[in-house]
Amino acid sequence: MSRATQGPALRSGRAVPDRPGLVPLWLVRGATALLAVLLGAIVWNGSAWIVLPALLAVGAALLPSIGLASVTLLLLIVAYAVNMPAGSPWLLAFVAGLHALLVLYLLLVRLPLHGWISRSALARIGVSFARVQILAQPLAVLALILGDAGSSLVVVVAGVIAVIGWALWLVSRRRTERRRHPGNADSS
């Protein structure tokens, strides 16, 4: 078969996947960045300081980095603690959005910068997200009911612990993978 009849995908040296059922990763990264900026807009209440967390959030979505993702999540959690009053109805949306960001950052850290992901994989991630939200949302409602009893502090502390634990788990996992497979360190 000549190179002329192979098509543009094979001539460029890259295989183009069969697109039905696949989503480009740039779309997932863009949605992740948009979600982070929207959550930041809620907790920063129109402050000019939103520029810094917004830039970090976009950077964390576009460049797979444990550090950027962790800092972005921590900035959102701390901003919620500082700027939102106890008993704020935004807590439910914030808990769901922050959890969605955590899941998306976890996904994007492990995927290449460019590529595709199947819709079925995203659906499975969505089901897993919904299962956790079945527990998280009632806890958020309980925090709202307690309102002035300092419940926001408990939610913030739990969020900070979760983000720090997640970051440490990812870093230790990467180190373990590098020790097991020293030649594949760049591929992870």
Side-chain angles (χ1 to χ4, degrees):
M1 180 185 268
S2 73
R3 287 185 72 83
T5 60
Q6 290 177 338
L10 291 177
R11 278 183 284 186
S12 69
R14 294 186 308 177
V16 176
D18 186 21
R19 288 192 177 94
L22 296 178
V23 176
L25 286 176
W26 66 263
L27 189 62
V28 176
R29 291 183 189 286
T32 304
L34 180 62
L35 177 61
V37 169
L38 289 174
L39 282 176
I42 291 170
V43 297
W44 286 91
N45 286 334
S47 167
W49 284 101
I50 192 174
V51 173
L52 176 65
L55 288 175
L56 287 173
V58 170
L62 300 178
L63 302 171
S65 165
I66 295 168
L68 275 176
S70 299
V71 168
T72 298
L73 292 170
L74 287 172
L75 279 174
L76 287 170
I77 292 167
V78 170
Y80 184 88
V82 171
N83 295 328
M84 301 302 282
S88 170
W90 281 108
L91 181 63
L92 300 173
F94 187 76
V95 166
L98 195 65
H99 178 232
L101 273 181
L102 178 67
V103 169
L104 288 168
Y105 283 151
L106 183 60
L107 172 71
L108 294 175
V109 162
R110 299 295 298 168
L111 292 177
L113 196 54
H114 303 286
W116 303 82
I117 187 167
S118 72
R119 288 183 187 152
S120 63
L122 289 174
R124 291 178 81 185
I125 291 168
V127 168
S128 175
F129 168 80
R131 286 182 185 151
V132 171
Q133 285 305 301
I134 288 171
L135 176 64
Q137 288 301 312
L139 290 175
V141 169
L142 180 62
L144 283 176
I145 291 169
L146 296 177
D148 294 328
S151 58
S152 292
L153 181 60
V154 173
V155 172
V156 169
V157 169
V160 169
I161 290 170
V163 169
I164 291 171
W166 171 68
L168 292 174
W169 175 73
L170 283 176
V171 168
S172 68
R173 188 169 167 206
R174 281 201 173 177
R175 285 184 182 158
T176 303
E177 286 177 7
R178 286 183 181 147
R179 284 187 200 130
R180 286 187 196 155
H181 310 285
N184 295 340
D186 293 332
S187 65
S188 61

